[in-house]
Amino acid sequence: METASCSAAAANGAVGSQRDRSLVPERLQRREQERQLEVERRKQKRQNQEVEEEKSDFFAAAFARERAAVEELLEGGESMERLEEAAARLQGLQKLVNDSVLFLAAYDLRQGQEALTRLQTTLAERRQELQPKKRFAFKTRRKDAASAAKVDSAPGAPAAEGILASPPPLKEEGGIGSSWVFGFSNVESQVLEKRAEELHQRDVLLAELSKCTVRLYGNPNTLRLAKARSCTVLCGPVSTSVFLEDCSDCVLAVACQQLRVHTTRDTRIFLQVTSRAIVEDCSGIQFAPYTWSYPGIDKDFEGSGLDRSKNNWNDVDDFNWLARDMASPNWSILPEEERMVQWD
């Protein structure tokens, strides 16, 4: 009996030993597969990094070459033809940045956009230098401004009561409008408008406005909104860049290549942008798709060169928030139920 029990135990032990030996190759095989997958993953990661480095190197070389060409045109910009060539190459440079945002490091992207801003400002200055000098009545009496008629509205756009026909002109020297001499400044509680023929490819500044509604029908080259409080700004397609700085409690509707928002709070932006919007030192910024429309906007989009099928309105870089696994607390998506805005 004992002999039988021993034989059975020995048999069971032999079976278990065989099972264990059969499992060894399976374990080794799984380990080998895992090792190969890890090797392949590392290889793919290294290849992706090399591709990104190659793209970054290509961007740096192409950007430097085109920037030098634009700077040369601007330095010798003694004719409108050279400035128009500089403007065209500057748009190409902007497109290069827009097409590279997916692989550029945040620092490189910021440096590129800052260089573009400087070039666009210089271009605006050169254009102004070549414009025929106009005689401005900088010390117009208040009663003259008050007696002016309503400003001409865009075709099909209703004239609004209280529209300021001749707002205070922007300063030509010094102050915030030194490089931007077209737009409105130092106005409160007014409805302000510019028509398409006035705006076409101009550099526009809206500065130090309070409780104003601004409608810009047409296709400006750039738009800058500075020190605005409780304003609504509606703008047609902007060929290049839009800048907001030191604004609060505003509503902006705009289409552009590039949007940059600096030191601004509690502002809603209805946006169409072909690159990625940038916020810096901001809080309470809300984004929604661009919905403003007016007669002639299709023609203005064609003239702007913007791709209407491409809209990165909700793809925003916050230069004060570098964590990729957590959303920035400084901006958010405007809820759909809050997007129903009566523009007129």
Side-chain angles (χ1 to χ4, degrees):
M1 196 68 161
E2 292 179 359
T3 304
S5 298
C6 291
S7 299
N12 290 335
V15 172
S17 178
Q18 290 177 357
R19 187 183 299 113
D20 291 342
R21 285 195 298 271
S22 66
L23 290 175
V24 170
E26 293 180 10
R27 293 196 196 101
L28 292 176
Q29 187 175 8
R30 283 199 302 270
R31 289 180 182 176
E32 178 62 19
Q33 289 175 346
E34 291 172 357
R35 187 188 68 82
Q36 290 179 355
L37 287 174
E38 179 63 18
V39 169
E40 186 63 27
R41 186 186 66 80
R42 291 181 179 180
K43 180 181 178 181
Q44 187 63 42
K45 182 179 180 181
R46 185 168 60 251
Q47 289 177 345
N48 291 342
Q49 185 175 357
E50 290 174 354
V51 169
E52 289 190 2
E53 288 175 354
E54 289 177 1
K55 289 181 178 179
S56 297
D57 291 342
F58 171 80
F59 168 82
F63 188 89
R65 182 174 61 251
E66 284 301 301
R67 181 176 62 182
V70 173
E71 288 173 344
E72 183 179 354
L73 287 168
L74 293 176
E75 288 174 0
E78 299 177 356
S79 66
M80 289 302 297
E81 289 76 12
R82 288 181 66 87
L83 292 186
E84 292 309 315
E85 183 182 352
R89 299 193 75 150
L90 195 53
Q91 286 199 13
L93 200 56
Q94 178 71 67
K95 186 176 186 303
L96 175 64
V97 173
N98 295 345
D99 293 342
S100 305
V101 294
L102 295 179
F103 60 83
L104 280 181
Y107 175 80
D108 294 332
L109 179 61
R110 181 175 183 175
Q111 292 297 308
Q113 288 172 330
E114 287 178 351
L116 281 171
T117 300
R118 290 192 294 271
L119 290 173
Q120 287 163 352
T121 300
T122 303
L123 176 61
E125 291 173 347
R126 296 290 185 271
R127 277 176 166 165
Q128 182 57 32
E129 290 171 359
L130 292 181
Q131 289 291 334
K133 299 298 181 181
K134 296 181 180 180
R135 295 180 179 177
F136 291 104
F138 287 102
K139 296 184 179 179
T140 303
R141 294 180 180 178
R142 282 185 175 271
K143 63 180 182 180
D144 295 334
S147 64
K150 297 175 182 178
V151 68
D152 293 334
S153 59
E161 185 175 355
I163 292 176
L164 186 64
S166 300
L170 301 175
K171 299 176 182 178
E172 283 195 307
E173 295 181 359
I176 194 168
S178 57
S179 300
W180 310 71
V181 294
F182 183 77
F184 302 102
S185 68
N186 297 293
V187 182
E188 182 175 358
S189 302
Q190 293 284 347
V191 178
L192 310 168
E193 293 187 356
K194 288 291 185 183
R195 297 178 296 171
E197 55 268 27
E198 299 176 280
L199 285 178
H200 185 66
Q201 290 300 302
R202 298 290 298 273
D203 299 298
V204 180
L205 171 67
L206 307 175
E208 300 182 272
L209 306 181
S210 177
K211 300 178 183 178
C212 291
T213 295
V214 184
R215 299 189 185 97
L216 304 176
Y217 301 94
N219 166 220
N221 181 50
T222 63
L223 170 66
R224 183 179 172 191
L225 178 63
K227 299 183 182 298
R229 302 288 181 265
S230 303
C231 291
T232 296
V233 178
L234 311 177
C235 185
V238 178
S239 292
T240 56
S241 301
V242 175
F243 306 93
L244 272 71
E245 56 182 341
D246 194 18
C247 298
S248 63
D249 302 297
C250 291
V251 175
L252 170 67
V254 70
C256 57
Q257 276 192 355
Q258 173 194 350
L259 171 72
R260 184 154 185 178
V261 187
H262 186 69
T263 57
T264 292
R265 61 180 178 82
D266 302 328
T267 291
R268 290 180 292 164
I269 302 176
F270 294 80
L271 178 65
Q272 175 159 343
V273 63
T274 56
S275 62
R276 290 160 71 176
I278 292 173
V279 298
E280 186 174 17
D281 299 327
C282 295
S283 64
I285 309 299
Q286 292 183 297
F287 290 94
Y290 181 71
T291 55
W292 189 48
S293 185
Y294 56 87
I297 193 172
D298 292 337
K299 181 179 179 181
D300 290 334
F301 262 106
E302 291 176 5
S304 72
L306 297 179
D307 183 357
R308 297 189 74 172
S309 66
K310 187 175 183 180
N311 190 2
N312 298 318
W313 66 272
N314 58 349
D315 194 358
V316 181
D317 284 331
D318 183 353
F319 281 172
N320 297 108
W321 189 259
L322 302 180
R324 294 185 176 274
D325 57 340
M326 295 179 62
S328 167
N330 301 318
W331 70 273
S332 61
I333 302 299
L334 184 68
E336 291 191 15
E337 61 271 17
E338 298 181 27
R339 300 178 189 176
M340 303 302 293
V341 179
Q342 296 295 328
W343 299 119
D344 295 323

